[in-house]
Amino acid sequence: FQQFSDTGSRKEHVKITSEPKPGFLERLSETSGGMLVGLAAFLLAFYLLFTNEGRALRTAKSLDEGLSLVVPLDSIHSISQQNEGRLVHLAGSLSTSKPLFDPSYGLSIQAVKLKRNVEMYQWVEYEDSKEYEENGEIKKETKYSYNTEWKSEIVNSRNFDREIGHKNPSAMAVESFTAVSPNVQVGSFVLSKGLVNKIDDFKQLSLAHLEDPHADVTRGGDYFYHSDNPRRPEVGDLRVSFFYAGLSGDDPYLGTADKVTVIARQRGDQLVPYHTKSGDVLEILYPGDLSVEEVFQKEHESNTMKTWALRAAGWLSMFVGISLMTRIFYTLVDWFPVVRDLVNVGLKAFALCVASSLSLLTISVGWLFYRPLWALLLALLSVVPIAVARSRVPPKKQQ
């Protein structure tokens, strides 16, 4: 059942849907489906936590290996055959063989990457829903509001609750793209594709010194507008901006070429990935002029952050999995408000304790072959959450 209530504005309306309150068997069926999802999340957590520890330790060993083998180059303008196949460290300014062009807008720049970003003025739908019970039914009141915004992706208005009056074009007349220089160097050394991909610190290009490229295109600030009136755009109007990464030549408006620090394997005049004995690949690039120690310190910090992020994701997946698998007990007592609330708190506490213990235990198994003493300590620590939970239960309840 649908009931429409219009506020009088074509940009906003409210829809109310209602359905009978689900019975016990229906809710039990929904809970059973959630248990399967929970089981999948529970198993995924074990895989994520276990493999993450092996990856973290392998990466740390590879970084230590790289630090002990890396050779700082005395000059980036001469190639020494003594360093052939070795892991080398160098820092210098980026250079490219020729500038990047966008002939459609008469724009060129000496850089590693040039990105054209096209946005269209489009309708965007927003939803705000709330549910409530009334006359034995569950009602859902959804407020739909519409606003016009600049978006770089096509917003499909066919998916709107009410497309009439909010229709968007199905395509853009101008497309976004990113141009990449085919030959990027630091001194006499050519960077591999993997190193070039790491040059991604995009900055918006100022268009103040450029003229309007066409009669139907107007420059306003740092945008080119395909619009009759950029101050009052209409749905379907376009605006184009440009971004660059890795300035590779001196520019009167942007300054000097960007400097980068690279650690990779020397192969002739090319810098390519270095494969460590631990099974990892070292192909490192950072902006600026950094020492060997600073680069490897940043890599260790990045590895630590990634490790803790995946640990948190693994624990959360396990917590959600256990919560979904034990949800059936909440459904069984859903008819008794006081009991239901107590069971809900108990299930959350149970999921918290078990997820913490199993996460620590899984991490300890991951460390078993690398750091046995730390693995034993973590295994003992995994018992603490359950022991604490049991200590807070009165003796009578334990019996």
Side-chain angles (χ1 to χ4, degrees):
F1 172 76
Q2 297 184 354
Q3 175 182 341
F4 293 89
S5 174
D6 206 313
T7 60
S9 169
R10 68 192 283 253
K11 295 184 179 182
E12 184 178 293
H13 71 275
V14 176
K15 181 170 72 174
I16 299 176
T17 60
S18 61
E19 58 183 23
K21 188 175 180 180
F24 175 74
L25 293 178
E26 186 177 350
R27 287 185 291 111
L28 199 62
S29 176
E30 293 176 356
T31 304
S32 300
M35 289 177 67
L36 295 177
V37 176
L39 179 61
F42 183 70
L43 297 176
L44 176 64
F46 283 106
Y47 173 80
L48 190 62
L49 290 169
F50 182 78
T51 57
N52 177 49
E53 298 308 313
R55 179 208 59 80
L57 291 169
R58 185 174 62 252
T59 300
K61 288 181 66 176
S62 294
L63 292 174
D64 291 338
E65 178 186 339
L67 181 59
S68 66
L69 297 175
V70 67
V71 178
L73 297 184
D74 297 326
S75 173
I76 61 173
H77 301 290
S78 61
I79 299 173
S80 173
Q81 295 301 321
Q82 294 180 350
N83 296 323
E84 181 67 20
R86 301 179 70 179
L87 185 67
V88 297
H89 162 268
L90 66 152
S93 299
L94 292 167
S95 63
T96 51
S97 55
K98 56 183 180 180
L100 299 173
F101 290 93
D102 190 334
S104 300
Y105 295 90
L107 184 146
S108 68
I109 184 174
Q110 196 81 26
V112 175
K113 297 177 182 179
L114 174 64
K115 179 166 65 175
R116 178 209 283 174
N117 185 49
V118 182
E119 299 171 283
M120 181 187 287
Y121 202 61
Q122 303 176 74
W123 285 106
V124 181
E125 181 184 71
Y126 293 96
E127 295 182 26
D128 183 20
S129 301
K130 62 179 180 180
E131 290 187 355
Y132 57 91
E133 282 192 36
E134 185 178 284
N135 299 326
E137 292 183 323
I138 296 179
K139 294 195 173 183
K140 182 179 181 180
E141 181 179 309
T142 306
K143 179 181 178 181
Y144 296 92
S145 58
Y146 300 87
N147 192 28
T148 45
E149 301 175 13
W150 292 105
K151 290 290 184 180
S152 57
E153 301 291 338
I154 293 291
V155 179
N156 190 353
S157 56
R158 293 182 179 180
N159 297 327
F160 290 173
D161 185 71
R162 184 177 294 180
E163 186 183 12
I164 299 175
H166 315 110
K167 190 172 184 179
N168 290 325
S170 58
M172 297 187 189
V174 182
E175 295 183 350
S176 299
F177 79 94
T178 301
V180 182
S181 179
N183 185 62
V184 183
Q185 293 183 225
V186 175
S188 300
F189 293 91
V190 180
L191 303 187
S192 67
K193 184 179 179 181
L195 290 170
V196 172
N197 289 339
K198 294 177 185 293
I199 303 174
D200 57 1
D201 184 19
F202 283 94
K203 301 173 184 175
Q204 187 164 4
L205 184 62
S206 174
L207 307 179
H209 60 285
L210 297 177
E211 301 295 331
D212 295 346
H214 306 289
D216 59 342
V217 177
T218 305
R219 182 181 59 81
D222 290 332
Y223 294 94
F224 286 125
Y225 288 90
H226 293 253
S227 172
D228 294 333
N229 186 355
R231 295 186 177 181
R232 293 185 178 180
E234 298 180 355
V235 171
D237 287 352
L238 303 177
R239 73 176 185 183
V240 182
S241 56
F242 291 89
F243 297 82
Y244 69 94
L247 190 64
S248 56
D250 295 344
D251 187 282
Y253 302 102
L254 303 175
T256 58
D258 292 338
K259 288 187 175 182
V260 295
T261 300
V262 180
I263 292 181
R265 182 169 71 91
Q266 178 181 321
R267 187 179 67 189
D269 65 345
Q270 296 183 333
L271 296 174
V272 297
Y274 180 88
H275 296 272
T276 66
K277 294 179 180 178
S278 301
D280 262 4
V281 173
L282 295 181
E283 190 178 28
I284 306 170
L285 183 144
Y286 280 103
D289 188 350
L290 303 176
S291 66
V292 171
E293 290 75 16
E294 288 174 328
V295 171
F296 280 97
Q297 182 181 353
K298 283 180 174 289
E299 286 294 298
H300 275 295
E301 290 172 354
S302 176
N303 183 40
T304 300
M305 290 180 62
K306 183 177 181 179
T307 301
W308 280 105
L310 289 174
R311 284 171 180 168
W315 177 89
L316 182 62
S317 178
M318 188 169 291
F319 174 79
V320 171
I322 295 172
S323 297
L324 289 174
M325 287 191 293
T326 57
R327 184 72 179 176
I328 190 169
F329 297 106
Y330 176 85
T331 304
L332 292 173
V333 297
D334 193 19
W335 299 100
F336 309 101
V338 177
V339 177
R340 177 185 61 194
D341 294 339
L342 290 174
V343 169
N344 187 43
V345 173
L347 291 176
K348 288 291 185 292
F350 173 79
L352 180 67
C353 292
V354 174
S356 299
S357 293
L358 290 180
S359 296
L360 289 171
L361 188 61
T362 306
I363 292 172
S364 70
V365 174
W367 280 26
L368 188 61
F369 299 102
Y370 301 97
R371 298 175 183 174
L373 293 179
W374 280 102
L376 180 60
L377 180 62
L378 282 174
L380 293 174
L381 193 62
S382 67
V383 184
V384 173
I386 296 178
V388 171
R390 283 184 58 85
S391 67
R392 301 181 68 88
V393 179
K396 293 183 178 180
K397 287 189 177 181
Q398 289 184 9
Q399 295 175 3

